[in-house]
Each structure stands twice: as C-alpha cells, then as structure tokens.
PDB file of all heavy atoms in Angstrom:
ATOM      1  N   ASP A   1       0.829  -1.195  -0.013  1.00 88.00           N
ATOM      2  CA  ASP A   1      -0.024   0.018   0.035  1.00 88.00           C
ATOM      3  C   ASP A   1       0.945   1.298   0.002  1.00 88.00           C
ATOM      4  O   ASP A   1       0.865   1.945   1.012  1.00 88.00           O
ATOM      5  CB  ASP A   1      -0.927  -0.044   1.176  1.00 88.00           C
ATOM      6  CG  ASP A   1      -1.969   1.070   1.149  1.00 88.00           C
ATOM      7  OD1 ASP A   1      -2.249   1.665   0.128  1.00 88.00           O
ATOM      8  OD2 ASP A   1      -2.518   1.361   2.300  1.00 88.00           O
ATOM      9  N   VAL A   2       1.581   1.520  -1.154  1.00 91.00           N
ATOM     10  CA  VAL A   2       2.444   2.720  -1.227  1.00 91.00           C
ATOM     11  C   VAL A   2       2.075   3.446  -2.547  1.00 91.00           C
ATOM     12  O   VAL A   2       1.508   2.874  -3.402  1.00 91.00           O
ATOM     13  CB  VAL A   2       3.883   2.376  -1.334  1.00 91.00           C
ATOM     14  CG1 VAL A   2       4.335   1.600   0.043  1.00 91.00           C
ATOM     15  CG2 VAL A   2       4.214   1.467  -2.523  1.00 91.00           C
ATOM     16  N   THR A   3       2.348   4.726  -2.549  1.00 92.00           N
ATOM     17  CA  THR A   3       2.314   5.576  -3.635  1.00 92.00           C
ATOM     18  C   THR A   3       3.739   5.819  -4.171  1.00 92.00           C
ATOM     19  O   THR A   3       4.568   6.295  -3.302  1.00 92.00           O
ATOM     20  CB  THR A   3       1.596   6.923  -3.424  1.00 92.00           C
ATOM     21  OG1 THR A   3       0.208   6.645  -2.883  1.00 92.00           O
ATOM     22  CG2 THR A   3       1.534   7.712  -4.559  1.00 92.00           C
ATOM     23  N   VAL A   4       3.910   5.612  -5.439  1.00 91.00           N
ATOM     24  CA  VAL A   4       5.346   5.712  -5.909  1.00 91.00           C
ATOM     25  C   VAL A   4       5.397   6.770  -7.092  1.00 91.00           C
ATOM     26  O   VAL A   4       4.489   6.687  -8.082  1.00 91.00           O
ATOM     27  CB  VAL A   4       5.869   4.498  -6.338  1.00 91.00           C
ATOM     28  CG1 VAL A   4       7.259   4.560  -7.007  1.00 91.00           C
ATOM     29  CG2 VAL A   4       5.916   3.446  -5.275  1.00 91.00           C
ATOM     30  N   SER A   5       6.348   7.748  -7.055  1.00 92.00           N
ATOM     31  CA  SER A   5       6.566   8.633  -8.141  1.00 92.00           C
ATOM     32  C   SER A   5       7.978   8.413  -8.653  1.00 92.00           C
ATOM     33  O   SER A   5       8.930   8.459  -7.840  1.00 92.00           O
ATOM     34  CB  SER A   5       6.350  10.044  -7.681  1.00 92.00           C
ATOM     35  OG  SER A   5       5.035  10.368  -7.308  1.00 92.00           O
ATOM     36  N   VAL A   6       8.147   8.166  -9.977  1.00 90.00           N
ATOM     37  CA  VAL A   6       9.471   7.895 -10.523  1.00 90.00           C
ATOM     38  C   VAL A   6       9.806   8.866 -11.539  1.00 90.00           C
ATOM     39  O   VAL A   6       8.914   9.198 -12.386  1.00 90.00           O
ATOM     40  CB  VAL A   6       9.458   6.491 -11.106  1.00 90.00           C
ATOM     41  CG1 VAL A   6      10.780   6.056 -11.602  1.00 90.00           C
ATOM     42  CG2 VAL A   6       9.025   5.426 -10.048  1.00 90.00           C
ATOM     43  N   ALA A   7      10.966   9.296 -11.581  1.00 92.00           N
ATOM     44  CA  ALA A   7      11.384  10.231 -12.730  1.00 92.00           C
ATOM     45  C   ALA A   7      11.604   9.459 -13.942  1.00 92.00           C
ATOM     46  O   ALA A   7      12.161   8.406 -13.898  1.00 92.00           O
ATOM     47  CB  ALA A   7      12.717  10.953 -12.146  1.00 92.00           C
ATOM     48  N   ASP A   8      11.331  10.060 -15.010  1.00 89.00           N
ATOM     49  CA  ASP A   8      11.527   9.490 -16.284  1.00 89.00           C
ATOM     50  C   ASP A   8      11.759  10.762 -17.367  1.00 89.00           C
ATOM     51  O   ASP A   8      11.862  11.830 -16.833  1.00 89.00           O
ATOM     52  CB  ASP A   8      10.370   8.748 -16.839  1.00 89.00           C
ATOM     53  CG  ASP A   8       9.078   9.353 -16.916  1.00 89.00           C
ATOM     54  OD1 ASP A   8       9.032  10.596 -17.175  1.00 89.00           O
ATOM     55  OD2 ASP A   8       8.024   8.771 -16.818  1.00 89.00           O
ATOM     56  N   SER A   9      12.088  10.395 -18.574  1.00 90.00           N
ATOM     57  CA  SER A   9      12.422  11.491 -19.420  1.00 90.00           C
ATOM     58  C   SER A   9      11.443  12.429 -19.669  1.00 90.00           C
ATOM     59  O   SER A   9      11.652  13.618 -20.060  1.00 90.00           O
ATOM     60  CB  SER A   9      12.784  10.844 -20.914  1.00 90.00           C
ATOM     61  OG  SER A   9      11.731  10.039 -21.246  1.00 90.00           O
ATOM     62  N   ASN A  10      10.156  12.076 -19.546  1.00 91.00           N
ATOM     63  CA  ASN A  10       8.983  12.964 -19.705  1.00 91.00           C
ATOM     64  C   ASN A  10       8.755  13.804 -18.450  1.00 91.00           C
ATOM     65  O   ASN A  10       8.258  14.866 -18.529  1.00 91.00           O
ATOM     66  CB  ASN A  10       7.734  12.280 -20.142  1.00 91.00           C
ATOM     67  CG  ASN A  10       7.859  11.546 -21.539  1.00 91.00           C
ATOM     68  OD1 ASN A  10       8.406  12.144 -22.428  1.00 91.00           O
ATOM     69  ND2 ASN A  10       7.412  10.392 -21.599  1.00 91.00           N
ATOM     70  N   SER A  11       8.963  13.298 -17.198  1.00 91.00           N
ATOM     71  CA  SER A  11       8.683  13.955 -15.997  1.00 91.00           C
ATOM     72  C   SER A  11       9.867  13.748 -15.149  1.00 91.00           C
ATOM     73  O   SER A  11       9.795  13.028 -14.123  1.00 91.00           O
ATOM     74  CB  SER A  11       7.437  13.411 -15.403  1.00 91.00           C
ATOM     75  OG  SER A  11       6.252  13.491 -16.183  1.00 91.00           O
ATOM     76  N   PRO A  12      11.014  14.321 -15.360  1.00 91.00           N
ATOM     77  CA  PRO A  12      12.174  14.180 -14.571  1.00 91.00           C
ATOM     78  C   PRO A  12      12.181  14.730 -13.112  1.00 91.00           C
ATOM     79  O   PRO A  12      12.807  14.190 -12.327  1.00 91.00           O
ATOM     80  CB  PRO A  12      13.328  14.922 -15.368  1.00 91.00           C
ATOM     81  CG  PRO A  12      12.505  15.976 -16.113  1.00 91.00           C
ATOM     82  CD  PRO A  12      11.267  15.317 -16.502  1.00 91.00           C
ATOM     83  N   HIS A  13      11.211  15.648 -12.922  1.00 90.00           N
ATOM     84  CA  HIS A  13      11.092  16.151 -11.509  1.00 90.00           C
ATOM     85  C   HIS A  13       9.758  15.745 -10.831  1.00 90.00           C
ATOM     86  O   HIS A  13       9.449  16.332  -9.723  1.00 90.00           O
ATOM     87  CB  HIS A  13      10.928  17.693 -11.682  1.00 90.00           C
ATOM     88  CG  HIS A  13      12.129  18.352 -12.404  1.00 90.00           C
ATOM     89  ND1 HIS A  13      13.457  18.229 -11.942  1.00 90.00           N
ATOM     90  CD2 HIS A  13      12.238  19.001 -13.502  1.00 90.00           C
ATOM     91  CE1 HIS A  13      14.234  18.855 -12.787  1.00 90.00           C
ATOM     92  NE2 HIS A  13      13.599  19.421 -13.750  1.00 90.00           N
ATOM     93  N   GLU A  14       9.239  14.624 -11.262  1.00 94.00           N
ATOM     94  CA  GLU A  14       8.018  14.156 -10.726  1.00 94.00           C
ATOM     95  C   GLU A  14       8.184  13.693  -9.244  1.00 94.00           C
ATOM     96  O   GLU A  14       7.324  14.205  -8.298  1.00 94.00           O
ATOM     97  CB  GLU A  14       7.499  13.007 -11.452  1.00 94.00           C
ATOM     98  CG  GLU A  14       6.229  12.263 -10.904  1.00 94.00           C
ATOM     99  CD  GLU A  14       5.007  13.222 -10.940  1.00 94.00           C
ATOM    100  OE1 GLU A  14       4.991  14.099 -11.775  1.00 94.00           O
ATOM    101  OE2 GLU A  14       4.160  13.001 -10.054  1.00 94.00           O
ATOM    102  N   PRO A  15       9.322  12.967  -8.780  1.00 93.00           N
ATOM    103  CA  PRO A  15       9.491  12.722  -7.298  1.00 93.00           C
ATOM    104  C   PRO A  15       9.532  13.893  -6.477  1.00 93.00           C
ATOM    105  O   PRO A  15       8.906  14.020  -5.382  1.00 93.00           O
ATOM    106  CB  PRO A  15      10.737  11.896  -7.319  1.00 93.00           C
ATOM    107  CG  PRO A  15      10.766  11.280  -8.775  1.00 93.00           C
ATOM    108  CD  PRO A  15      10.226  12.295  -9.612  1.00 93.00           C
ATOM    109  N   LEU A  16      10.343  14.909  -6.975  1.00 90.00           N
ATOM    110  CA  LEU A  16      10.426  16.257  -6.125  1.00 90.00           C
ATOM    111  C   LEU A  16       9.055  16.985  -6.109  1.00 90.00           C
ATOM    112  O   LEU A  16       8.763  17.424  -4.976  1.00 90.00           O
ATOM    113  CB  LEU A  16      11.577  16.945  -6.724  1.00 90.00           C
ATOM    114  CG  LEU A  16      12.053  18.228  -6.012  1.00 90.00           C
ATOM    115  CD1 LEU A  16      12.383  17.648  -4.525  1.00 90.00           C
ATOM    116  CD2 LEU A  16      13.144  19.015  -6.658  1.00 90.00           C
ATOM    117  N   THR A  17       8.428  16.947  -7.189  1.00 92.00           N
ATOM    118  CA  THR A  17       7.070  17.561  -7.117  1.00 92.00           C
ATOM    119  C   THR A  17       6.171  16.920  -6.233  1.00 92.00           C
ATOM    120  O   THR A  17       5.367  17.615  -5.522  1.00 92.00           O
ATOM    121  CB  THR A  17       6.530  17.703  -8.607  1.00 92.00           C
ATOM    122  OG1 THR A  17       7.372  18.325  -9.446  1.00 92.00           O
ATOM    123  CG2 THR A  17       5.005  18.317  -8.616  1.00 92.00           C
ATOM    124  N   HIS A  18       6.087  15.615  -6.246  1.00 94.00           N
ATOM    125  CA  HIS A  18       5.242  14.835  -5.371  1.00 94.00           C
ATOM    126  C   HIS A  18       5.554  15.106  -3.896  1.00 94.00           C
ATOM    127  O   HIS A  18       4.654  15.409  -3.033  1.00 94.00           O
ATOM    128  CB  HIS A  18       5.462  13.314  -5.637  1.00 94.00           C
ATOM    129  CG  HIS A  18       4.740  12.473  -4.673  1.00 94.00           C
ATOM    130  ND1 HIS A  18       3.764  11.576  -5.213  1.00 94.00           N
ATOM    131  CD2 HIS A  18       4.721  12.247  -3.291  1.00 94.00           C
ATOM    132  CE1 HIS A  18       3.291  10.862  -4.230  1.00 94.00           C
ATOM    133  NE2 HIS A  18       3.831  11.260  -3.133  1.00 94.00           N
ATOM    134  N   TYR A  19       6.920  15.063  -3.634  1.00 94.00           N
ATOM    135  CA  TYR A  19       7.348  15.370  -2.186  1.00 94.00           C
ATOM    136  C   TYR A  19       6.936  16.777  -1.752  1.00 94.00           C
ATOM    137  O   TYR A  19       6.373  17.019  -0.567  1.00 94.00           O
ATOM    138  CB  TYR A  19       8.847  15.152  -2.176  1.00 94.00           C
ATOM    139  CG  TYR A  19       9.357  15.386  -0.649  1.00 94.00           C
ATOM    140  CD1 TYR A  19       9.242  14.414   0.220  1.00 94.00           C
ATOM    141  CD2 TYR A  19      10.002  16.576  -0.314  1.00 94.00           C
ATOM    142  CE1 TYR A  19       9.678  14.525   1.525  1.00 94.00           C
ATOM    143  CE2 TYR A  19      10.503  16.728   1.012  1.00 94.00           C
ATOM    144  CZ  TYR A  19      10.324  15.666   1.915  1.00 94.00           C
ATOM    145  OH  TYR A  19      10.760  15.906   3.243  1.00 94.00           O
ATOM    146  N   ARG A  20       7.206  17.794  -2.677  1.00 92.00           N
ATOM    147  CA  ARG A  20       6.939  19.174  -2.320  1.00 92.00           C
ATOM    148  C   ARG A  20       5.378  19.400  -2.006  1.00 92.00           C
ATOM    149  O   ARG A  20       4.961  19.996  -0.999  1.00 92.00           O
ATOM    150  CB  ARG A  20       7.438  20.143  -3.419  1.00 92.00           C
ATOM    151  CG  ARG A  20       6.998  21.604  -3.085  1.00 92.00           C
ATOM    152  CD  ARG A  20       7.479  22.436  -4.344  1.00 92.00           C
ATOM    153  NE  ARG A  20       6.697  22.019  -5.563  1.00 92.00           N
ATOM    154  CZ  ARG A  20       7.141  22.405  -6.678  1.00 92.00           C
ATOM    155  NH1 ARG A  20       8.101  23.413  -6.894  1.00 92.00           N
ATOM    156  NH2 ARG A  20       6.383  22.142  -7.783  1.00 92.00           N
ATOM    157  N   ASN A  21       4.638  18.817  -2.816  1.00 94.00           N
ATOM    158  CA  ASN A  21       3.107  18.910  -2.703  1.00 94.00           C
ATOM    159  C   ASN A  21       2.590  18.231  -1.473  1.00 94.00           C
ATOM    160  O   ASN A  21       1.728  18.726  -0.718  1.00 94.00           O
ATOM    161  CB  ASN A  21       2.401  18.384  -3.970  1.00 94.00           C
ATOM    162  CG  ASN A  21       2.648  19.178  -5.237  1.00 94.00           C
ATOM    163  OD1 ASN A  21       3.111  20.407  -5.128  1.00 94.00           O
ATOM    164  ND2 ASN A  21       2.340  18.524  -6.287  1.00 94.00           N
ATOM    165  N   ALA A  22       3.179  17.116  -1.174  1.00 94.00           N
ATOM    166  CA  ALA A  22       2.851  16.304   0.026  1.00 94.00           C
ATOM    167  C   ALA A  22       3.180  17.112   1.313  1.00 94.00           C
ATOM    168  O   ALA A  22       2.373  17.168   2.263  1.00 94.00           O
ATOM    169  CB  ALA A  22       3.473  14.869   0.108  1.00 94.00           C
ATOM    170  N   MET A  23       4.395  17.720   1.315  1.00 92.00           N
ATOM    171  CA  MET A  23       4.784  18.441   2.424  1.00 92.00           C
ATOM    172  C   MET A  23       4.010  19.700   2.601  1.00 92.00           C
ATOM    173  O   MET A  23       3.640  20.188   3.702  1.00 92.00           O
ATOM    174  CB  MET A  23       6.215  18.787   2.407  1.00 92.00           C
ATOM    175  CG  MET A  23       7.181  17.566   2.418  1.00 92.00           C
ATOM    176  SD  MET A  23       7.313  16.897   4.098  1.00 92.00           S
ATOM    177  CE  MET A  23       6.166  15.498   3.852  1.00 92.00           C
ATOM    178  N   ALA A  24       3.545  20.361   1.441  1.00 90.00           N
ATOM    179  CA  ALA A  24       2.768  21.641   1.480  1.00 90.00           C
ATOM    180  C   ALA A  24       1.421  21.358   2.081  1.00 90.00           C
ATOM    181  O   ALA A  24       0.760  22.212   2.624  1.00 90.00           O
ATOM    182  CB  ALA A  24       2.677  22.209   0.176  1.00 90.00           C
ATOM    183  N   SER A  25       0.932  20.111   1.924  1.00 92.00           N
ATOM    184  CA  SER A  25      -0.489  19.791   2.288  1.00 92.00           C
ATOM    185  C   SER A  25      -0.547  19.145   3.773  1.00 92.00           C
ATOM    186  O   SER A  25      -1.552  18.782   4.201  1.00 92.00           O
ATOM    187  CB  SER A  25      -1.164  19.042   1.282  1.00 92.00           C
ATOM    188  OG  SER A  25      -0.534  17.781   1.108  1.00 92.00           O
ATOM    189  N   THR A  26       0.658  18.751   4.294  1.00 92.00           N
ATOM    190  CA  THR A  26       0.715  18.132   5.687  1.00 92.00           C
ATOM    191  C   THR A  26       0.234  18.852   6.723  1.00 92.00           C
ATOM    192  O   THR A  26       0.379  20.207   6.776  1.00 92.00           O
ATOM    193  CB  THR A  26       2.096  17.497   5.889  1.00 92.00           C
ATOM    194  OG1 THR A  26       1.936  16.594   7.065  1.00 92.00           O
ATOM    195  CG2 THR A  26       3.065  18.580   6.167  1.00 92.00           C
ATOM    196  N   SER A  27      -0.349  18.290   7.771  1.00 92.00           N
ATOM    197  CA  SER A  27      -0.783  18.974   9.047  1.00 92.00           C
ATOM    198  C   SER A  27      -0.092  18.411  10.151  1.00 92.00           C
ATOM    199  O   SER A  27      -0.587  18.427  11.207  1.00 92.00           O
ATOM    200  CB  SER A  27      -2.354  18.801   9.141  1.00 92.00           C
ATOM    201  OG  SER A  27      -2.751  17.464   9.225  1.00 92.00           O
ATOM    202  N   THR A  28       1.163  17.970   9.974  1.00 95.00           N
ATOM    203  CA  THR A  28       1.848  17.300  11.014  1.00 95.00           C
ATOM    204  C   THR A  28       2.308  18.346  12.026  1.00 95.00           C
ATOM    205  O   THR A  28       2.536  19.461  11.724  1.00 95.00           O
ATOM    206  CB  THR A  28       3.123  16.543  10.403  1.00 95.00           C
ATOM    207  OG1 THR A  28       3.672  15.805  11.256  1.00 95.00           O
ATOM    208  CG2 THR A  28       4.112  17.551   9.737  1.00 95.00           C
ATOM    209  N   SER A  29       2.601  17.807  13.252  1.00 94.00           N
ATOM    210  CA  SER A  29       3.188  18.565  14.262  1.00 94.00           C
ATOM    211  C   SER A  29       4.797  18.492  14.337  1.00 94.00           C
ATOM    212  O   SER A  29       5.381  19.333  14.942  1.00 94.00           O
ATOM    213  CB  SER A  29       2.627  18.309  15.608  1.00 94.00           C
ATOM    214  OG  SER A  29       2.968  16.947  16.004  1.00 94.00           O
ATOM    215  N   SER A  30       5.206  17.527  13.690  1.00 95.00           N
ATOM    216  CA  SER A  30       6.647  17.251  13.685  1.00 95.00           C
ATOM    217  C   SER A  30       7.192  16.540  12.492  1.00 95.00           C
ATOM    218  O   SER A  30       6.387  15.983  11.784  1.00 95.00           O
ATOM    219  CB  SER A  30       7.156  16.422  14.863  1.00 95.00           C
ATOM    220  OG  SER A  30       6.560  15.134  14.796  1.00 95.00           O
ATOM    221  N   ILE A  31       8.460  16.913  12.048  1.00 95.00           N
ATOM    222  CA  ILE A  31       9.171  16.151  11.010  1.00 95.00           C
ATOM    223  C   ILE A  31      10.437  15.642  11.506  1.00 95.00           C
ATOM    224  O   ILE A  31      11.226  16.265  12.197  1.00 95.00           O
ATOM    225  CB  ILE A  31       9.416  17.229   9.885  1.00 95.00           C
ATOM    226  CG1 ILE A  31       8.150  17.796   9.166  1.00 95.00           C
ATOM    227  CG2 ILE A  31      10.399  16.738   8.856  1.00 95.00           C
ATOM    228  CD1 ILE A  31       7.566  16.794   8.266  1.00 95.00           C
ATOM    229  N   ARG A  32      10.753  14.331  11.022  1.00 96.00           N
ATOM    230  CA  ARG A  32      12.010  13.706  11.247  1.00 96.00           C
ATOM    231  C   ARG A  32      12.566  13.365   9.878  1.00 96.00           C
ATOM    232  O   ARG A  32      11.775  12.704   9.140  1.00 96.00           O
ATOM    233  CB  ARG A  32      12.017  12.676  12.220  1.00 96.00           C
ATOM    234  CG  ARG A  32      11.631  12.921  13.670  1.00 96.00           C
ATOM    235  CD  ARG A  32      11.503  11.743  14.608  1.00 96.00           C
ATOM    236  NE  ARG A  32      10.341  10.876  14.246  1.00 96.00           N
ATOM    237  CZ  ARG A  32      10.119   9.707  14.579  1.00 96.00           C
ATOM    238  NH1 ARG A  32      11.100   8.942  15.197  1.00 96.00           N
ATOM    239  NH2 ARG A  32       9.102   9.131  14.202  1.00 96.00           N
ATOM    240  N   GLY A  33      13.689  13.657   9.689  1.00 94.00           N
ATOM    241  CA  GLY A  33      14.236  13.322   8.212  1.00 94.00           C
ATOM    242  C   GLY A  33      15.657  13.097   8.142  1.00 94.00           C
ATOM    243  O   GLY A  33      16.467  13.458   9.007  1.00 94.00           O
ATOM    244  N   ILE A  34      16.081  12.379   7.074  1.00 93.00           N
ATOM    245  CA  ILE A  34      17.387  12.146   6.674  1.00 93.00           C
ATOM    246  C   ILE A  34      17.594  12.624   5.277  1.00 93.00           C
ATOM    247  O   ILE A  34      16.886  12.330   4.341  1.00 93.00           O
ATOM    248  CB  ILE A  34      17.747  10.540   6.754  1.00 93.00           C
ATOM    249  CG1 ILE A  34      17.608   9.910   7.974  1.00 93.00           C
ATOM    250  CG2 ILE A  34      19.352  10.532   6.151  1.00 93.00           C
ATOM    251  CD1 ILE A  34      17.767   8.503   8.065  1.00 93.00           C
ATOM    252  N   LEU A  35      18.483  13.672   5.225  1.00 89.00           N
ATOM    253  CA  LEU A  35      18.663  14.302   3.844  1.00 89.00           C
ATOM    254  C   LEU A  35      20.002  14.103   3.334  1.00 89.00           C
ATOM    255  O   LEU A  35      21.028  14.351   4.013  1.00 89.00           O
ATOM    256  CB  LEU A  35      18.455  15.831   3.965  1.00 89.00           C
ATOM    257  CG  LEU A  35      17.043  16.388   4.270  1.00 89.00           C
ATOM    258  CD1 LEU A  35      17.069  17.932   4.266  1.00 89.00           C
ATOM    259  CD2 LEU A  35      16.072  15.867   3.239  1.00 89.00           C
ATOM    260  N   PRO A  36      20.210  13.484   2.125  1.00 88.00           N
ATOM    261  CA  PRO A  36      21.570  13.222   1.545  1.00 88.00           C
ATOM    262  C   PRO A  36      22.014  14.465   0.746  1.00 88.00           C
ATOM    263  O   PRO A  36      23.232  14.565   0.565  1.00 88.00           O
ATOM    264  CB  PRO A  36      21.242  12.015   0.518  1.00 88.00           C
ATOM    265  CG  PRO A  36      19.873  12.268   0.028  1.00 88.00           C
ATOM    266  CD  PRO A  36      19.127  12.864   1.307  1.00 88.00           C
ATOM    267  N   VAL A  37      21.117  15.387   0.373  1.00 83.00           N
ATOM    268  CA  VAL A  37      21.602  16.563  -0.127  1.00 83.00           C
ATOM    269  C   VAL A  37      20.714  17.754   0.347  1.00 83.00           C
ATOM    270  O   VAL A  37      19.617  17.592   0.907  1.00 83.00           O
ATOM    271  CB  VAL A  37      21.433  16.602  -1.724  1.00 83.00           C
ATOM    272  CG1 VAL A  37      22.292  15.507  -2.336  1.00 83.00           C
ATOM    273  CG2 VAL A  37      19.920  16.368  -2.041  1.00 83.00           C
ATOM    274  N   PHE A  38      21.189  18.962   0.175  1.00 76.00           N
ATOM    275  CA  PHE A  38      20.371  20.246   0.561  1.00 76.00           C
ATOM    276  C   PHE A  38      20.214  21.021  -0.624  1.00 76.00           C
ATOM    277  O   PHE A  38      20.989  21.981  -0.978  1.00 76.00           O
ATOM    278  CB  PHE A  38      21.197  21.017   1.558  1.00 76.00           C
ATOM    279  CG  PHE A  38      20.664  21.062   2.907  1.00 76.00           C
ATOM    280  CD1 PHE A  38      21.391  20.724   4.114  1.00 76.00           C
ATOM    281  CD2 PHE A  38      19.233  21.365   3.167  1.00 76.00           C
ATOM    282  CE1 PHE A  38      20.858  20.846   5.322  1.00 76.00           C
ATOM    283  CE2 PHE A  38      18.711  21.319   4.410  1.00 76.00           C
ATOM    284  CZ  PHE A  38      19.443  21.152   5.513  1.00 76.00           C
ATOM    285  N   SER A  39      19.197  20.779  -1.368  1.00 75.00           N
ATOM    286  CA  SER A  39      18.845  21.569  -2.637  1.00 75.00           C
ATOM    287  C   SER A  39      18.113  22.871  -2.100  1.00 75.00           C
ATOM    288  O   SER A  39      17.529  22.895  -1.008  1.00 75.00           O
ATOM    289  CB  SER A  39      18.038  20.780  -3.641  1.00 75.00           C
ATOM    290  OG  SER A  39      16.684  20.585  -2.989  1.00 75.00           O
ATOM    291  N   ALA A  40      18.051  23.833  -3.045  1.00 74.00           N
ATOM    292  CA  ALA A  40      17.213  25.050  -2.565  1.00 74.00           C
ATOM    293  C   ALA A  40      15.788  24.804  -2.425  1.00 74.00           C
ATOM    294  O   ALA A  40      15.265  25.342  -1.501  1.00 74.00           O
ATOM    295  CB  ALA A  40      17.548  26.096  -3.704  1.00 74.00           C
ATOM    296  N   LEU A  41      15.178  23.765  -3.193  1.00 77.00           N
ATOM    297  CA  LEU A  41      13.884  23.495  -3.065  1.00 77.00           C
ATOM    298  C   LEU A  41      13.542  22.803  -1.719  1.00 77.00           C
ATOM    299  O   LEU A  41      12.604  23.163  -1.043  1.00 77.00           O
ATOM    300  CB  LEU A  41      13.291  22.656  -4.258  1.00 77.00           C
ATOM    301  CG  LEU A  41      11.883  22.295  -4.241  1.00 77.00           C
ATOM    302  CD1 LEU A  41      10.966  23.533  -4.124  1.00 77.00           C
ATOM    303  CD2 LEU A  41      11.443  21.450  -5.591  1.00 77.00           C
ATOM    304  N   LEU A  42      14.457  21.901  -1.316  1.00 78.00           N
ATOM    305  CA  LEU A  42      14.236  21.142  -0.148  1.00 78.00           C
ATOM    306  C   LEU A  42      14.420  22.039   0.996  1.00 78.00           C
ATOM    307  O   LEU A  42      13.652  22.026   2.036  1.00 78.00           O
ATOM    308  CB  LEU A  42      15.202  19.964  -0.046  1.00 78.00           C
ATOM    309  CG  LEU A  42      14.973  18.741  -0.848  1.00 78.00           C
ATOM    310  CD1 LEU A  42      16.105  17.736  -0.769  1.00 78.00           C
ATOM    311  CD2 LEU A  42      13.637  18.054  -0.514  1.00 78.00           C
ATOM    312  N   ALA A  43      15.355  23.031   0.931  1.00 77.00           N
ATOM    313  CA  ALA A  43      15.532  24.031   2.011  1.00 77.00           C
ATOM    314  C   ALA A  43      14.226  24.904   2.163  1.00 77.00           C
ATOM    315  O   ALA A  43      13.828  25.217   3.287  1.00 77.00           O
ATOM    316  CB  ALA A  43      16.787  24.955   1.735  1.00 77.00           C
ATOM    317  N   GLU A  44      13.689  25.291   0.981  1.00 83.00           N
ATOM    318  CA  GLU A  44      12.360  25.990   0.933  1.00 83.00           C
ATOM    319  C   GLU A  44      11.254  25.273   1.667  1.00 83.00           C
ATOM    320  O   GLU A  44      10.519  25.859   2.513  1.00 83.00           O
ATOM    321  CB  GLU A  44      12.135  26.390  -0.480  1.00 83.00           C
ATOM    322  CG  GLU A  44      10.854  27.262  -0.562  1.00 83.00           C
ATOM    323  CD  GLU A  44      10.345  27.497  -1.923  1.00 83.00           C
ATOM    324  OE1 GLU A  44      11.278  27.360  -2.906  1.00 83.00           O
ATOM    325  OE2 GLU A  44       9.162  27.716  -2.260  1.00 83.00           O
ATOM    326  N   VAL A  45      11.185  24.017   1.276  1.00 86.00           N
ATOM    327  CA  VAL A  45      10.007  23.176   1.708  1.00 86.00           C
ATOM    328  C   VAL A  45      10.168  23.124   3.284  1.00 86.00           C
ATOM    329  O   VAL A  45       9.133  23.250   4.010  1.00 86.00           O
ATOM    330  CB  VAL A  45      10.050  21.682   1.104  1.00 86.00           C
ATOM    331  CG1 VAL A  45       9.119  20.794   1.935  1.00 86.00           C
ATOM    332  CG2 VAL A  45       9.732  21.778  -0.295  1.00 86.00           C
TER     333      VAL A  45
END
C-alpha cells in the first residue's frame, strides 16, 4: 500500500514535485528526516 513517483524522461522532476506537494499539504506537528543533499527547493520546503 504505497504511492510511488518515479522520474523519467517526460517527467524528470515528478518525485520532487510529489514530495513538495505532500509536504505543503501536511498537517503534521513534527518532521524527522534524513537528507542526503540540501537543494534550494528542499531548504524552501
């Protein structure tokens, strides 16, 4: 029972868009995460 977004030649940013939209709509009180990179978009999110 998972939702998967995969980058391909037609939608190379699909995973990042999925994550950004999910974070924008979350109503969580806390976030715990492991980040392998610090992109400008992830920093913004």
